[in-house]
Amino acid sequence: MRRKTYFWGFLFLILAVSLFGEEFAVGYLKAISGTAQIVRQGENLELRIGDKVFKNDVLRTGPNSSLGITFKDDTLLSLGPNSQVVVNDFAFSPAEGKLSFAARILKGTVVYLSGIIGKLAPDAARLQTPYANIGFRGTRVAVQIEGEAQHVIE
Amino acid sequence: MSSNKLRIEPRRKRRCRDADKGGRSLISHRALIVLLLCLCCWLSACAKRKGLVVLLPDPDGKTGAVTVSNKGGTETITEPGKATEIRSFDKAPKTAVAIPESEIREVFGDALDAQPPVPAHYLVYFLSNTTELDPESRETLKDVFTALKRIKPSEVSIVGHTDRVGTKERNYQLGLERARIIREIVIAEGVSEALIETISHGEDNPLIKTDDEVPEPKNRRVEIVIR
């Protein structure tokens, strides 16, 4: 009986560890100026160059501010002033065929350069905005969104 | 319905009286309101740009394409320097037109300046069954050092590979040893250990597929990525 408990406990531990293991950084902060912020699970973080960026982080910049990120697949994303972006999907395991990149731009200016995900699976990379969705064939684009929209279109 | 009408009636009378006071006729008053309403519609629905998407030249010189789509339709841009305007989620993005470099700079200058450097990829090769670098690859290392100076702070990923001579287990180990040699070299260049990731794929991820026990110089390699 006791052995069984240990067994299930052990199994749970493995499961927990493997679940946490999913939370790898998706990229690194490479540039910050002015009042740039990352909000992670409701918490406002102090930023330093080289910091890890995770999926679902809210990237925010104030006036005269900017921020730049290099993702694990070489995708580059940078924000100009008064911008808000959430990287809501990122998967980069070419061996398992898991490739996806999605970011929601709510406002501001963004420059995007597609990385390996965009090259291996062009349909797997996209930017969502309140007024249109943007897809690519391996390239660099600049996007400006005006106003204070709360949601992107699906 | 009828009670509604009753409530509106007195208002209209009052408006009429007001209009008479101003010396204007009822017809022109109505026309003015219609005109104003039209103007409001036009201003809110059509005139204001909500979004702008610009296709920029790729750093590697290749031309890509960008597709902008919503409920109203789709616009594809295939020429760098062209842009499409979006005015509403249910109106098709406008036909792409060239926009001046100065306008791109004005709108996107800060975001462009915050773009991180483009990551650099290198391959260095090894002599059979050793951790000794191929002489030509020593030259490649010089490029690696240059990139480490250009991209700072650098996150460095080092992946060791082997050909299929020898056992799978031994090759995993050999791949790791090759990766570690490069790791030492990168650390000597001043990169913090915490920013280096070192792994081995052994013989499992060849550049050139071969049968087992076939020597293949192109597969005896270490991939170095500097981000």
Side-chain angles (χ1 to χ4, degrees):
Chain A
M1 195 61 205
R2 205 171 190 186
R3 262 198 184 168
K4 223 172 181 177
T5 318
Y6 278 129
F7 172 74
W8 286 114
F10 186 60
L11 203 71
F12 176 76
L13 200 72
I14 286 180
L15 198 72
V17 166
S18 62
L19 279 178
F20 272 108
E22 291 282 331
E23 285 306 308
F24 288 122
V26 298
Y28 295 93
L29 201 59
K30 289 292 183 177
I32 3 169
S33 77
T35 53
Q37 302 175 325
I38 288 183
V39 184
R40 185 173 301 151
Q41 289 163 351
E43 204 182 328
N44 221 328
L45 304 176
E46 288 271 321
L47 298 187
R48 248 176 301 169
I49 293 212
D51 278 354
K52 287 176 179 170
V53 177
F54 293 87
K55 202 165 93 176
N56 291 323
D57 280 358
V58 182
L59 317 171
R60 261 193 214 154
T61 55
N64 303 316
S65 306
S66 63
L67 169 162
I69 293 167
T70 300
F71 287 87
K72 288 263 183 185
D73 76 318
D74 294 359
T75 296
L76 306 180
L77 188 78
S78 58
L79 280 63
N82 303 314
S83 305
Q84 185 167 334
V85 175
V86 183
V87 179
N88 56 306
D89 193 12
F90 186 90
F92 182 50
S93 318
E96 297 163 67
K98 284 187 192 163
L99 297 164
S100 58
F101 180 96
R104 296 177 171 168
I105 306 172
L106 284 171
K107 61 171 183 173
T109 51
V110 170
V111 175
Y112 162 96
L113 175 67
S114 62
I116 299 169
I117 293 170
K119 287 189 182 91
L120 293 179
D123 292 338
R126 63 193 189 282
L127 297 175
Q128 296 168 287
T129 79
Y131 312 110
N133 286 322
I134 303 164
F136 317 96
R137 207 174 60 223
T139 196
R140 178 176 252 170
V141 293
V143 181
Q144 182 195 29
I145 297 299
E146 307 259 15
E148 294 283 337
Q150 300 296 310
H151 304 284
V152 298
I153 58 169
E154 284 307 318
Chain B
M1 198 67 187
S2 63
S3 69
N4 222 352
K5 219 175 181 181
L6 275 174
R7 244 189 290 147
I8 288 169
E9 231 10 76
R11 253 202 195 165
R12 283 184 68 180
K13 272 183 186 157
R14 200 178 61 225
R15 267 201 208 158
C16 264
R17 260 203 329 271
D18 290 349
D20 286 345
K21 266 185 202 163
R24 280 188 221 136
S25 78
L26 183 64
I27 307 275
S28 73
H29 194 199
R30 269 192 181 160
L32 195 70
I33 288 171
V34 170
L35 202 74
L36 274 172
L37 273 173
C38 280
L39 195 70
C40 279
C41 276
W42 183 68
L43 276 173
S44 63
C46 327
K48 199 155 192 307
R49 176 170 98 192
K50 291 287 195 181
L52 180 70
V53 180
V54 191
L55 179 60
L56 299 172
D58 260 19
D60 59 7
K62 284 182 199 154
T63 306
V66 60
T67 304
V68 185
S69 53
N70 63 14
K71 251 169 104 179
T74 298
E75 175 65 14
T76 301
I77 318 176
T78 51
E79 255 177 85
K82 283 197 167 180
T84 176
E85 266 186 37
I86 316 158
R87 295 203 160 161
S88 164
F89 70 95
D90 56 1
K91 290 209 169 58
K94 296 198 134 195
T95 307
V97 290
I99 68 167
E101 183 73 37
S102 57
E103 194 184 335
I104 296 177
R105 198 62 226 170
E106 193 184 311
V107 178
F108 298 105
D110 289 321
L112 284 167
D113 291 343
Q115 273 275 291
V118 176
H121 292 240
Y122 299 96
L123 286 176
V124 289
Y125 300 94
F126 291 80
L127 302 180
S128 186
N129 203 20
T130 66
T131 55
E132 198 179 323
L133 272 170
D134 174 276
E136 271 181 42
S137 291
R138 291 185 185 281
E139 293 300 308
T140 310
L141 281 182
K142 289 180 187 161
D143 299 336
V144 172
F145 299 157
T146 313
L148 286 174
K149 288 190 181 73
R150 182 172 59 86
I151 305 174
K152 267 192 171 174
S154 319
E155 261 79 39
V156 185
S157 154
I158 302 170
V159 185
H161 301 268
T162 69
D163 61 18
R164 295 189 67 189
V165 177
T167 64
K168 235 174 151 57
E169 294 72 27
R170 161 72 189 134
N171 279 334
Y172 172 80
Q173 203 53 42
L174 180 59
L176 201 58
E177 284 165 24
R178 285 175 175 164
R180 281 179 181 152
I181 294 278
I182 299 299
R183 183 172 182 270
E184 291 311 310
I185 294 173
V186 169
I187 289 172
E189 284 297 302
V191 178
S192 150
E193 284 184 45
L195 298 178
I196 307 175
E197 180 187 71
T198 316
I199 55 169
S200 172
H201 285 183
E203 61 174 55
D204 294 332
N205 194 359
L207 268 188
I208 293 164
K209 289 208 164 67
T210 68
D211 288 332
D212 202 7
E213 297 304 325
V214 174
E216 174 50 67
K218 290 276 182 224
N219 290 341
R220 297 193 292 262
R221 71 204 193 276
V222 166
E223 285 177 75
I224 308 164
V225 185
I226 304 164
R227 292 195 174 91

